[in-house]
Amino acid sequence: MTAVEGNAVDIPTADGTADAYLAHPADGDAHPAVLFYMDAFGLRPQLRAMADRLAGAGYTVLVPNVFYRHGRAPVVGLPEFIDAGSRPQIFQHLGPLMKALTPDRAMRDADAWLRWLADSALVADGPVGVTGYCMGAALALRTAGTFPDRVAAAAGFHGGHLATEGPESPHLVAGDVTAELYFGHADADPGLPPEEQERLEAALTGAGVRHRCEVYAGAHHGYTQADTSAYDPEATERHWEALLGLLRRTL
């Protein structure tokens, strides 16, 4: 694994300034970029550690605080370990933040993230990869469909609400996607019931998108997050294998 450097960075957006974490190989060279979308719990040590691991595989990784309009990370105070009992109280605070991040705002921000990466001396020329977790999976899919000329790969893990019946459902961008996609669904995830999984698969297949959707048997929503009670080490390693394979093929 390559030695990495990680730093806090600020990114100008159309609506202000977003704080973010940037991880990259410590060789000072330009590497392919990966935009890393956080879960609802936000930019914290767990996500920085994941970004570092991804950077160690040879990528320049940007993890923006997508809730920056409400403050710098941590926007909501979190315990060191998030168990099932603490989730309801945390989501009382997170719910309004998630609702305020409309698709229009999220994609206005995505343009800022992608432009910042394109201007960075640490990023190699060419398209980027995107990965997202929980709510970030929807952002990854939407970014791939909104910026098809810039995104070559997008992955989502234990994502929720990817293919709803609503008029702004993320799966509706399928016809605009040119990237290769991968989704690792959590088993029996209330945020992505079987009918949504089927709707997502049908939309991607119908649009001719190169993709693979897999259900991780026995894994709970949030299975990649080691600072939560949902963490599943075996499913997490499977996720790394799938993600790194996707990036190797496309970047």
Side-chain angles (χ1 to χ4, degrees):
M1 195 63 89
T2 303
V4 304
E5 292 181 8
N7 303 99
V9 296
D10 282 350
I11 300 176
T13 76
D15 296 333
T17 300
D19 53 312
Y21 179 70
L22 183 72
H24 58 89
D27 55 14
D29 292 339
H31 294 271
V34 177
L35 173 59
F36 183 126
Y37 277 122
M38 64 186 225
D39 63 353
F41 295 132
L43 185 51
R44 62 195 193 281
Q46 166 64 20
L47 296 195
R48 294 185 186 95
M50 292 176 72
D52 288 349
R53 177 166 175 176
L54 195 48
Y59 301 97
T60 295
V61 185
L62 181 68
V63 191
N65 167 24
V66 302
F67 293 153
Y68 71 91
R69 292 175 181 85
H70 307 275
R72 299 178 73 84
V75 180
V76 172
L78 298 171
E80 283 190 21
F81 185 79
I82 303 165
D83 59 20
S86 61
R87 283 175 181 263
Q89 185 175 3
I90 294 170
F91 274 98
Q92 280 187 344
H93 300 287
L94 290 176
L97 276 60
M98 297 168 70
K99 189 173 182 180
L101 188 63
T102 62
D104 283 348
R105 285 178 175 172
M107 291 304 96
R108 202 156 66 230
D109 291 343
D111 184 58
W113 318 141
L114 293 171
R115 286 179 184 275
W116 191 92
L117 285 167
D119 290 341
S120 172
L122 294 168
V123 172
D125 291 339
V128 308
V130 185
T131 186
Y133 300 84
C134 299
M135 62 170 270
L139 295 176
L141 173 55
R142 204 181 292 279
T143 300
T146 306
F147 303 97
D149 57 328
R150 300 192 229 177
V151 177
F157 299 94
H158 45 81
H161 312 296
L162 295 175
T164 72
E165 294 181 314
E168 294 185 323
S169 176
H171 80 288
L172 296 176
V173 305
D176 297 317
V177 172
T178 58
E180 181 180 343
L181 305 185
Y182 177 88
F183 292 95
H185 305 319
D187 193 14
D189 188 342
L192 196 73
E195 60 268 23
E196 283 199 41
Q197 295 179 24
E198 293 167 7
R199 192 178 294 128
L200 175 64
E201 178 66 40
L204 297 177
T205 299
V209 177
R210 290 168 298 146
H211 73 282
R212 193 158 94 248
C213 298
E214 298 182 320
V215 177
Y216 287 25
H220 296 286
H221 181 83
Y223 60 76
T224 61
Q225 302 304 305
D227 59 350
T228 77
S229 55
Y231 179 57
D232 184 320
E234 185 175 337
T236 297
E237 289 308 308
R238 180 179 173 184
H239 129 274
W240 282 118
E241 183 178 345
L243 175 59
L244 292 171
L246 173 68
L247 297 177
R248 281 194 296 268
R249 285 194 302 275
T250 55
L251 299 187

